[in-house]
Amino acid sequence: MNRGPTWFNVTSLVLGFAFLYIPILLLIIYSFNGSRLVTIWGGFSTEWYVALLHDEQLLDAVWVTLRVAALSSLVATVLGTLAAIALTRYGRFTGRSVFSGMTYAPLVMPEVITGLSLLLLFVAIGFERGFWTIMLAHTTFTMCFVAVVVQSRLVTFDRSLEEAALDLGCSPAKTFFIITLPLILPAVISGFMLAFTLSMDDLVIASFTTGPGATTLPMRIYSQVRMGVTPEINAICTVMIGFIAIIVLIASIATKHQETVRRREEQAAAQ
């Protein structure tokens, strides 16, 4: 017998969503606060969004953050996908345990340790800290998340499709790009989005690996919050929330479209 949701389940769900989203909603509302004091409502105003256009330091931090997130996520997606394929397809090979441990170590490694170890590495090799050190650091700790997401898809992948393509004369590389990659593309996109979000959100690792002229948005916000929260900070956070929401929406639509196309192709093949 299929029972409906109980009052306990509904209450737990409502409280959970309220705990997660009410603070975000309040942040968005108070970003339109006309008062300089964020705890006192002074009427509706968009002056803090206008002020963002004249805050060069904050805009520079946003630009650095987006560049780091985009580039590190792209590299992490490529490397994470290759790592997932190696762990899934090649069975037992020499050094598999070491390779697997090194791939997934950042998942359980405290960010302070990761940031400090990367800082010591860059200092030891004489690599000047700045934009590229942050990018390499973010690639290091986001690659493992991409590998986990893509590997979970490859575990349930029907390899008979690849075998059929190989029997028809396709090379392994061509088979990967025309068969494997389109089918695992939703997982790859999900991994990229996760890596992009983690990179934009990171504060600890970026603080260890940054240098002159490479201040990310979380670092800038943290330094300003220490002096007190201002409506301008609420405004930039609201803009970033909207930006992330749009990206997630686009990725969701693309994933659903990909799934629809795949189902139609499977139905056509079955007929």
Side-chain angles (χ1 to χ4, degrees):
M1 182 178 180
N2 187 16
R3 297 180 179 180
T6 64
W7 66 270
F8 178 78
N9 293 336
V10 173
T11 303
S12 301
L13 184 63
V14 171
L15 291 177
F17 278 112
F19 178 79
L20 290 174
Y21 293 108
I22 285 181
I24 298 177
L25 181 61
L26 290 176
L27 183 148
I28 295 174
I29 292 174
Y30 276 95
S31 69
F32 296 98
N33 185 13
S35 173
R36 185 74 185 179
L37 301 175
V38 295
T39 57
I40 300 177
W41 180 257
F44 181 86
S45 175
T46 59
E47 63 175 304
W48 305 114
Y49 290 91
V50 177
L52 288 178
L53 301 177
H54 301 88
D55 193 332
E56 295 184 0
Q57 291 183 341
L58 205 56
L59 293 178
D60 289 341
V62 172
W63 178 235
V64 170
T65 301
L66 292 176
R67 287 164 54 206
V68 169
L71 187 56
S72 64
S73 300
L74 181 61
V75 177
T77 300
V78 174
L79 296 179
T81 301
L82 294 176
I85 293 174
L87 292 172
T88 306
R89 298 296 177 83
Y90 295 103
R92 294 289 177 181
F93 56 86
T94 304
R96 175 187 170 86
S97 298
V98 176
F99 178 75
S100 177
M102 294 178 64
T103 300
Y104 297 127
L107 283 171
V108 296
M109 189 82 68
E111 290 187 350
V112 173
I113 297 178
T114 302
L116 180 59
S117 61
L118 289 171
L119 171 62
L120 295 176
L121 173 64
F122 295 142
V123 172
I125 63 177
F127 199 163
E128 184 179 357
R129 284 175 291 162
F131 173 85
W132 292 107
T133 52
I134 299 178
M135 191 278 293
L136 292 174
H138 283 190
T139 300
T140 301
F141 90 91
T142 57
M143 182 184 70
C144 58
F145 292 93
V146 178
V148 169
V149 174
V150 176
Q151 187 175 9
S152 64
R153 176 65 182 90
L154 287 172
V155 169
T156 60
F157 187 83
D158 185 7
R159 298 198 63 181
S160 62
L161 298 174
E162 294 178 332
E163 294 172 355
L166 293 172
D167 291 339
L168 293 174
C170 286
S171 64
K174 187 176 181 180
T175 299
F176 174 78
F177 284 107
I178 67 174
I179 301 295
T180 307
L181 185 58
L183 293 178
I184 67 172
L185 188 60
V188 174
I189 294 176
S190 299
F192 175 84
M193 291 301 305
L194 181 59
F196 188 88
T197 304
L198 291 172
S199 177
M200 290 193 63
D201 181 63
D202 175 66
L203 171 65
V204 178
I205 295 178
S207 299
F208 278 99
T209 58
T210 189
T215 302
T216 62
L217 182 61
M219 295 171 59
R220 177 63 62 185
I221 292 176
Y222 179 72
S223 63
Q224 292 186 5
V225 165
R226 295 173 63 183
M227 305 299 294
V229 179
T230 64
E232 190 175 357
I233 294 178
N234 292 341
I236 187 63
C237 291
T238 301
V239 172
M240 298 307 295
I241 290 173
F243 177 74
I244 294 297
I246 292 174
I247 293 180
V248 171
L249 180 62
I250 294 175
S252 178
I253 294 175
T255 301
K256 290 182 179 180
H257 176 72
Q258 184 70 21
E259 288 292 332
T260 302
V261 172
R262 182 180 63 83
R263 290 176 183 174
R264 289 177 180 176
E265 291 177 350
E266 290 179 351
Q267 292 175 358
Q271 294 176 354

